[in-house]
Amino acid sequence: MHHADHRLRRAEQRLSSNAGIHPTALVAEGARIDPSASIGPYTVVGPHVTIGAGTTVGAHCVIEGHTTIGRDNRIFQFNSLGAVPQDKKYAGEPCELRIGDRNTIREFCTFNIGSPGGGGVTAIGDDNWIMAYVHLAHDVRVGNHTIFANNSQLAGHVEVDDWVILGGFTVVHQFVRIGAHGMTAMCSLLFADQPPFVMSQGQPAGARSMNFEGLRRRGFSADRIAAVKAMHKALYRDGLTLDAARERIAALPERFPDAQPDVDRMLDFLAAVPPQRGIVR
């Protein structure tokens, strides 16, 4: 039998063993797709792709590169996942894209693999809600339970912690970090690190308040919210230097013992802020 006939037979065997793969999908030999996953019409899956149980992929997607997708994700049509980074220094190294579990990825998103200069991995955690036209560049790290509204654009090496909400058309400069429970308004442009709990708005974005309503919805106690208010006052209202604000924040658990994890989160974030970039003001 001709070598091409062997390849065709192996492809037919893979398709017959996974009824969830549409007959028009092009699935490369070597791809690992759980039998309970489904692949829509005309979708292309590369040889180094792994797709976990219960994940659904819509029509006309391209999933390539060393891409690992976990369980129970819902990936809508017309997505490009795992393409090489938009980085002129990239020279074909086997970098990765990792997507966790239970994420929703709407139409026309572009998630690139990592680059050697950034650790080689672009990573998205679990339970994220990512709307249409979102771009995640190389080496971006996204935590869990985030919401990215339409057209959010993240440059290389950006880090987004848990429970962050990005308003539509938010643009984040490379290497910027956004702390947990933060939020941006529509059309915000971030050039500086945004500490946990902060709500920002503008071009460039400035701190407007803390995300108190989001914290209430997530079950924060009155004392914990009071501590976050005190952090906001120290960082933004009293004209303190960043070092002086950190000292005041470190003392808050004496008044609000339940807020120790929140204070630790804030202090850890502030300790890693590069002086040349600073925080949103």
Side-chain angles (χ1 to χ4, degrees), residues 77-235:
Q77 57 269 21
F78 304 115
N79 281 287
S80 174
L81 307 177
V84 300
Q86 297 174 126
D87 181 347
K88 287 186 175 181
K89 299 185 297 298
Y90 181 74
E93 298 88 347
C95 297
E96 297 181 60
L97 169 65
R98 299 176 189 164
I99 298 173
D101 303 332
R102 300 176 303 279
N103 297 289
T104 295
I105 301 171
R106 294 301 306 242
E107 301 84 353
F108 299 103
C109 291
T110 53
F111 300 175
N112 295 160
I113 60 172
S115 69
V121 178
T122 302
I124 298 97
D126 304 330
D127 301 294
N128 298 292
W129 183 268
I130 299 178
M131 300 186 201
Y133 293 94
V134 168
H135 176 63
L136 303 183
H138 58 88
D139 308 295
V140 161
R141 301 296 180 98
V142 177
N144 309 309
H145 302 285
T146 67
I147 299 173
F148 291 3
N150 292 1
N151 286 280
S152 299
Q153 307 288 303
L154 276 59
H157 311 278
V158 165
E159 297 181 17
V160 181
D161 210 341
D162 299 345
W163 297 103
V164 165
I165 299 174
L166 299 183
F169 295 89
T170 291
V171 178
V172 187
H173 192 269
Q174 62 186 7
F175 292 100
V176 162
R177 299 178 303 137
I178 303 176
H181 301 283
M183 188 172 180
T184 66
M186 183 176 67
C187 296
S188 295
L189 175 56
L190 267 69
F191 287 116
D193 286 357
Q194 179 172 306
F197 314 113
V198 168
M199 297 176 65
S200 70
Q201 178 187 29
Q203 300 174 344
R208 297 293 182 258
S209 182
M210 297 297 213
N211 187 16
F212 300 120
E213 182 57 32
L215 300 181
R216 291 187 191 98
R217 292 180 182 183
R218 290 165 206 146
F220 275 54
S221 68
D223 270 5
R224 291 177 71 190
I225 290 174
V228 172
K229 288 181 179 178
M231 291 187 216
H232 181 256
K233 193 168 184 291
L235 284 171

Side-chain angles (χ1 to χ4, degrees), residues 24-38:
T24 61
L26 299 178
V27 179
E29 187 170 359
R32 295 184 293 177
I33 301 174
D34 188 274
S36 65
S38 65

Side-chain angles (χ1 to χ4, degrees), residues 248-281:
R248 186 187 291 183
I249 290 168
L252 288 176
E254 296 171 13
R255 285 191 288 152
F256 308 108
D258 289 349
Q260 185 70 62
D262 309 314
V263 168
D264 291 343
R265 182 190 294 275
M266 179 64 80
L267 293 176
D268 288 347
F269 185 95
L270 295 176
V273 173
Q276 67 274 19
R277 186 159 62 240
I279 64 172
V280 293
R281 288 293 186 181

